């Protein structure tokens, strides 16, 4: 266990910091004290700080090689991150009653589902793609545990949300809302169930996604200490 203490502690704090605020009684007290906006802001900042610590702790953990590094492996995150950033940019605040991260005040049209027609859980897929792609060039035990955990949680989370939404909305309503969506990215598009209207694609959201990807690419050497380019 020597050298693993910080990584284990960071993981425990990360899990607790997400599990405790999700409890209805705890969330209600925090929202009552901070307001909805204050709670979301505080939770976002806290999550970012703990995630940063967890990533740093993984880098400090003992190096246990599971597979050797090859430069070609760096193509995995470089190809996945542009898509992940676009999914996140279009998914945040979208009309999406079938997943989390959407805006419940917006009307959802199941005949024209927008980003939800590309994939039903855009934010979770963004996280999953980011995590799974980073497993490939990081073949040491600490980073495989770190990124593998996020990829697995994203995949399991999507299945759990689908099951929960079916129960909450009712099977018929859920099926009607999800008819032109898909669990796997682009599946509804490939099968012809979803036909996007390119005129309605938001240039602002596309620009935000592109800017996020470019920022991650340029800041990676300074924040993580390693160039992400092959």
């Amino acid at each position: 266990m020597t050298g693993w203490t910080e990584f284990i502690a960071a993981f425990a704090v990360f899990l607790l910091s997400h599990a405790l605020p999700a409890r209805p009684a705890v969330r209600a007290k925090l929202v009552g004290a901070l307001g909805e906006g204050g709670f979301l802001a505080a939770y976002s900042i806290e999550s970012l700080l703990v995630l940063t610590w967890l990533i740093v702790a993984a880098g400090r953990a003992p190096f246990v090689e599971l597979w050797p590094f090859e430069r070609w492996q760096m193509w995995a995150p470089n190809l996945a991150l542009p898509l992940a950033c676009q999914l996140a940019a279009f998914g945040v605040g979208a009309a999406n009653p079938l997943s989390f991260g959407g805006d419940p005040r917006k009307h959802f049209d199941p005949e024209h589902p927008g980003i939800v027609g590309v994939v039903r859980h855009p934010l979770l897929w963004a996280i999953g793609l980011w995590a799974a792609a980073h497993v490939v060039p990081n073949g040491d035990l600490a980073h495989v545990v770190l990124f593998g955990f996020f990829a697995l949680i994203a995949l399991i989370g999507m299945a759990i949300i689908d099951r929960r939404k079916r129960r909450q909305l009712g099977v018929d309503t859920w099926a009607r809302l999800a008819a032109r969506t898909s669990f796997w990215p682009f599946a509804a598009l490939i099968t012809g169930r979803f036909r996007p209207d390119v005129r309605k694609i938001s240039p602002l959201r596309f620009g935000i996604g592109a800017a996020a990807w470019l920022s991650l690419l340029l800041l990676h050497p300074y924040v993580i200490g390693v160039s992400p380019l092959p």
Side-chain angles (χ1 to χ4, degrees):
M1 295 298 291
T2 303
W4 290 95
T5 303
E6 183 185 9
F7 182 61
I8 294 172
F11 231 120
V13 171
F14 179 86
L15 293 174
L16 287 173
S17 68
H18 284 73
L20 291 178
R23 296 178 65 86
V26 176
R27 180 187 172 91
K29 289 183 179 180
L30 291 173
V31 170
L34 303 173
E36 185 68 28
F39 167 76
L40 292 176
Y43 181 71
S44 298
I45 293 172
E46 175 269 335
S47 297
L48 181 60
L49 291 175
V50 175
L51 177 60
T52 301
W53 178 33
L54 180 56
I55 293 174
V56 171
R60 292 173 178 167
F63 184 82
V64 180
E65 185 177 85
L66 300 180
W67 59 79
F69 170 77
E70 301 287 347
R71 187 159 292 276
W72 65 263
Q73 297 167 352
M74 298 179 72
W75 280 108
N78 276 281
L79 292 174
L81 262 292
L83 175 58
C85 288
Q86 289 298 334
L87 290 176
F90 278 90
V92 172
N96 186 0
L98 302 173
S99 189
F100 84 99
D103 188 343
R105 297 169 298 181
K106 292 182 178 178
H107 172 68
F108 177 74
D109 182 359
E111 294 299 317
H112 303 91
I115 185 61
V116 189
V118 176
V119 68
R120 194 155 54 241
H121 305 285
L123 292 182
L124 283 173
W125 268 106
I127 295 170
L129 285 172
W130 166 78
H134 276 79
V135 170
V136 179
N138 291 281
D140 63 284
L141 180 59
H143 284 96
V144 168
V145 170
L146 171 66
F147 292 120
F149 168 79
F150 281 108
L152 184 62
I153 286 298
L155 189 62
I156 293 174
M158 288 183 272
I160 291 175
I161 290 175
D162 275 353
R163 185 174 60 189
R164 181 187 303 152
K165 291 294 184 179
R166 281 194 190 95
R167 185 178 66 251
Q168 293 174 343
L169 297 170
V171 175
D172 292 339
T173 299
W174 185 91
R176 179 177 59 83
L177 295 176
R180 299 187 185 279
T181 74
S182 57
F183 183 91
W184 301 103
F186 305 111
L189 184 65
I190 293 171
T191 58
R193 290 184 290 114
F194 171 56
R195 286 286 183 263
D197 185 349
V198 295
R199 297 171 299 177
K200 294 184 178 180
I201 296 177
S202 169
L204 176 61
R205 286 183 179 265
F206 182 84
I208 290 173
W213 165 71
L214 186 60
S215 298
L216 291 172
L217 186 70
L218 296 177
L219 293 176
H220 200 282
Y222 304 101
V223 177
I224 305 301
V226 178
S227 172
L229 297 175

